[in-house]
Amino acid sequence: MKQTFPSMKGTFMTLFLGTFLLFLSPSLTKAQNPQQPEPPSTEEMAAAEADRLGELLDLEDWQIFYVDSTLQHDYKGLKNELEELMKYRVSNTQVYQKVQDKWMEQVDNTYKKIFNEPQWKRYLKTGAGKMIKAREKRKIKWAKKEAEKKDK
């Protein structure tokens, strides 16, 4: 009487297929996603935002130029400062937030000089007004914390 072990055959096939897929999976993932796209440069991000604001606020060419120039300068400054913090492995998220707030406040102050009154009002309605208020609240909160530290 010949005795077969059906479960043994199933186990062998599962093991074989699992091993085959294990060796095949790296080549499959490379074929599906050969290379992660690089994030846009600061110049590309500045140009895209300047174009977006140009269309949204009906900016004149000279205004788009100044917005683009401002953003290129300030995005690079922000990026460099954040990279410096990462380099020194700063783990306090408030420090990163303060740096971002500083640069975004500088951008908004420059926009206020570039835009006319109707454009500035439209800009604030795009969500920038809420961002400005949030930055101001954080600034007040951090100032209170600093004052409490000094009082101790």
Side-chain angles (χ1 to χ4, degrees), residues 68-79:
D68 184 48
S69 299
T70 298
L71 292 176
Q72 282 190 33
H73 174 268
D74 291 352
Y75 283 176
K76 282 180 189 174
L78 171 62
K79 181 182 175 190

Side-chain angles (χ1 to χ4, degrees), residues 10-28:
T11 305
F12 176 77
M13 281 305 283
T14 303
L15 185 62
F16 174 76
L17 284 174
T19 306
F20 177 75
L21 289 175
L22 182 67
F23 286 110
L24 184 63
S25 64
S27 60
L28 284 176

Side-chain angles (χ1 to χ4, degrees), residues 49-71:
E49 181 64 6
D51 290 342
R52 185 186 76 82
L53 289 174
E55 289 179 27
L56 187 67
L57 306 175
D58 297 321
L59 300 179
E60 295 180 28
D61 290 340
W62 68 269
Q63 290 174 305
I64 295 171
F65 172 79
Y66 280 115
V67 167
D68 184 48
S69 299
T70 298
L71 292 176

Side-chain angles (χ1 to χ4, degrees), residues 82-98:
L82 292 176
E83 285 174 351
E84 192 73 14
L85 292 174
M86 286 187 252
K87 177 181 163 185
Y88 290 109
R89 299 178 186 217
V90 174
S91 61
N92 186 343
T93 56
Q94 283 186 350
V95 175
Y96 290 92
Q97 187 68 56
K98 284 180 181 181

Side-chain angles (χ1 to χ4, degrees), residues 96-113:
Y96 290 92
Q97 187 68 56
K98 284 180 181 181
V99 168
Q100 184 176 357
D101 284 355
K102 176 185 87 170
W103 285 100
M104 291 301 107
E105 185 175 356
Q106 185 170 320
V107 167
D108 286 335
N109 289 338
T110 305
Y111 282 174
K112 197 166 188 172
K113 294 175 187 173

